[in-house]
Amino acid sequence: LMDLRATPLGMQPGVRVHMNALEQILQGEYLIRPYTALQHEIGAAIGVSILIILLSFFVNPVWLGLMAVGVSTGAFWTSWLLFAEYGGLFDPVTPSVIVMIIFVLSSTLSYLKTEFERRQVRDAFGLYISPDFMKELTSNPDKLQLGGEIKPLTVMFTDIRSFTTISEGLTPQELIQLMNDFLTPMSDLVMSHRGTIDKYMGDAMMAFWNAPLDDPDHERHACITALKMNEALVPINEAVKKKAEEIGKTPVLLNAGIGINSGPCAVGNMGSKQRFAYSALGDAVNLASRLESQTKNYGVNILIGEATKQKIQDFAVLEMDLIQVKGKTLPVRIFALLGDEALAAGAEFSALKVKHESMLTAYREKEFDKVVEISKACKGFLSGQLDLFYDEYIDRAIDLIRKPPPKDWDGVFVAKSK
């Protein structure tokens, strides 16, 4: 008679539908589908979905996926248990589908958010730090604090000596090429030693260490960078000399003054809403800039502050002066960085260090005749690197012999210029 009816088990004869209905009546066991079943199913799906969305900010997507699968499995088991024990009809499919859709969407959004943050980091720091440092930063973005913070930094300033004189004899194109030839290797050295380039200021560069990522050896890395910068200038000057000879000009050789200082600084994104940069501010930054300016007065390439010197005791370092730099009221000890551990362990440096320290002691004890004598004996050491410095102390001592200082003189030299 084609009496076929659609049932959850497929097309069945109508009489079988009657049989099932009569069986339930006779046995007193009925299938139950509460009026609020749909609300409970959707409510459970929404609750689990909200939980997944919230956890997606903190939980690994793999664990979140396992949780979503576990919830779906639990829904099917609960549905079967209610059906087998109580004849309850609850749909596990719709809530499970909703949960899985929300999981996929939240995972996708979480991935896009992570990639957006990494792109922000790459855009903000890609031109300032080394690729290896960048890889570490993007793989661990939690280490980055884009807001301001106070932390100890080692700050470096570099500057080309007599830049005005050099630039006068060059065309704009030649000057730009010269600056690129100088700044490119200097920047590479900073980034390869875990430093961050803050800014370029004409012929000068500012860099710092220990931000945005921590570097427990930031003082040492900054000093190694400075020493290698002097080495890097040798091939640059050779190229400049060769090019000058080809065009019949007098070569203009580059010489850099470097100031390094360590101390607490404010570091973070600074500027305006329209334009900002990752930079550092603080007294330690100002002193590093002053030290760079003083390199020409002391006839040395690298001057460092006392806080930096304390962390590189095995390097070849000599105290230069007790100086009150412009803008500061208290004097600071400044030191010349002459070389690494190998130079410090050499006999020549050890002999010079003894003479040098005795000269400074004589100066501060007002034994100026002795200062002149020892300074002359110190000249010529280390290929004459410090000859200009000793000439400066000889001139000071002679002036103080002619015009003796007051009784309360403390040996502090007051810098008249930045």
Side-chain angles (χ1 to χ4, degrees):
L1 299 178
M2 297 301 293
D3 182 22
L4 298 177
R5 305 295 173 181
T7 73
L9 301 179
M11 300 299 291
Q12 298 288 337
V15 65
R16 185 166 291 180
V17 176
H18 296 163
M19 283 171 52
N20 278 275
L22 289 172
E23 183 181 33
Q24 290 184 59
I25 294 170
L26 293 174
Q27 293 181 353
E29 296 179 359
Y30 301 95
L31 296 178
I32 303 169
R33 172 72 176 172
Y35 289 114
T36 58
L38 181 61
Q39 289 89 330
H40 285 93
E41 292 162 1
I42 300 300
I46 292 174
V48 174
S49 298
I50 292 173
L51 180 62
I52 287 176
I53 292 171
L54 294 176
L55 290 177
S56 65
F57 293 99
F58 312 102
V59 180
N60 187 290
V62 175
W63 290 107
L64 204 62
L66 292 176
M67 190 188 86
V69 171
V71 168
S72 298
T73 303
F76 277 92
W77 180 82
T78 302
S79 176
W80 176 258
L81 181 66
L82 291 174
F83 171 74
E85 296 293 330
Y86 306 104
L89 295 176
F90 287 89
D91 176 22
V93 177
T94 301
S96 297
V97 170
I98 293 174
V99 167
M100 295 308 295
I101 290 173
I102 294 298
F103 162 71
V104 172
L105 289 176
S106 63
S107 297
T108 302
L109 292 175
S110 177
Y111 171 77
L112 293 175
K113 175 177 174 291
T114 302
E115 282 302 304
F116 177 73
E117 290 175 348
R118 289 181 177 178
R119 181 175 294 179
Q120 275 190 317
V121 170
R122 287 193 291 268
D123 291 344
F125 296 98
L127 298 177
Y128 301 94
I129 61 179
S130 67
D132 291 339
F133 210 18
M134 173 61 69
K135 185 177 180 181
E136 182 179 348
L137 187 58
T138 52
S139 62
N140 298 282
D142 292 340
K143 293 183 179 181
L144 174 64
Q145 294 191 24
L146 285 177
E149 57 179 329
I150 302 294
K151 65 187 304 185
L153 300 182
T154 295
V155 185
M156 171 192 287
F157 280 85
T158 69
D159 193 19
I160 297 178
R161 301 267 181 82
S162 304
F163 180 72
T164 303
T165 304
I166 293 173
S167 61
E168 285 176 351
L170 300 175
T171 65
Q173 292 77 10
E174 291 173 334
L175 184 59
I176 291 172
Q177 184 61 49
L178 183 66
M179 289 306 308
N180 291 339
D181 291 342
F182 170 75
L183 291 174
T184 298
M186 301 299 109
S187 302
D188 290 342
L189 285 169
V190 169
M191 294 192 292
S192 64
H193 289 86
R194 299 180 68 84
T196 301
I197 297 172
D198 185 303
K199 60 177 70 73
Y200 299 107
M201 300 159 285
D203 60 315
M205 178 176 71
M206 173 185 169
F208 53 80
W209 280 256
N210 203 36
L213 295 183
D214 293 339
D215 179 6
D217 296 321
H218 53 94
E219 300 93 348
R220 195 175 195 86
H221 287 151
C223 291
I224 292 173
T225 302
L227 291 171
K228 290 191 174 182
M229 282 179 171
N230 282 331
E231 297 174 6
L233 283 176
V234 175
I236 295 174
N237 282 329
E238 289 294 331
V240 170
K241 189 184 298 184
K242 183 178 179 181
K243 187 174 181 180
E245 290 174 353
E246 291 175 354
I247 60 177
K249 283 188 176 182
T250 303
V252 181
L253 301 182
L254 300 180
N255 191 19
I258 301 173
I260 299 174
N261 188 49
S262 303
C265 302
V267 60
N269 279 331
M270 301 178 190
S272 64
K273 292 181 179 180
Q274 293 80 15
R275 184 180 178 86
F276 63 86
Y278 191 75
S279 186
L281 295 173
D283 186 60
V285 177
N286 297 334
L287 182 54
S289 177
R290 300 292 184 269
L291 292 179
E292 180 276 315
S293 300
Q294 291 297 324
T295 55
K296 55 182 177 292
N297 297 330
Y298 287 89
V300 295
N301 290 326
I302 308 170
L303 283 177
I304 65 175
E306 189 168 8
T308 306
K309 183 258 182 185
Q310 296 300 326
K311 298 294 184 178
I312 55 165
Q313 298 285 359
D314 54 337
F315 277 35
V317 177
L318 293 176
E319 183 179 349
M320 293 285 101
D321 209 349
L322 185 60
I323 183 174
Q324 181 181 329
V325 299
K326 195 169 182 64
K328 288 183 70 69
T329 57
L330 297 176
V332 293
R333 295 186 186 275
I334 61 175
F335 302 80
L337 176 61
L338 303 174
D340 57 12
E341 309 97 316
L343 180 63
E348 185 180 16
F349 177 78
S350 299
L352 173 62
K353 187 175 182 180
V354 173
K355 291 178 180 293
H356 182 92
E357 291 175 351
S358 64
M359 184 275 291
L360 288 179
T361 301
Y363 179 76
R364 287 161 187 166
E365 291 179 355
K366 303 180 184 179
E367 299 175 354
F368 302 120
D369 290 329
K370 198 173 179 181
V371 170
V372 174
E373 178 186 345
I374 300 174
S375 295
K376 289 180 179 179
C378 289
K379 293 180 67 174
F381 278 83
L382 302 179
S383 302
Q385 285 188 50
L386 296 176
D387 285 1
L388 291 176
F389 166 78
Y390 292 120
D391 286 338
E392 168 67 20
Y393 265 82
I394 290 171
D395 292 340
R396 282 195 204 177
I398 292 173
D399 288 341
L400 290 168
I401 290 172
R402 292 172 180 167
K403 186 179 179 181
K407 290 183 179 180
D408 59 350
W409 183 76
D410 53 7
V412 174
F413 177 75
V414 180
K416 301 299 183 183
S417 62
K418 294 184 178 181

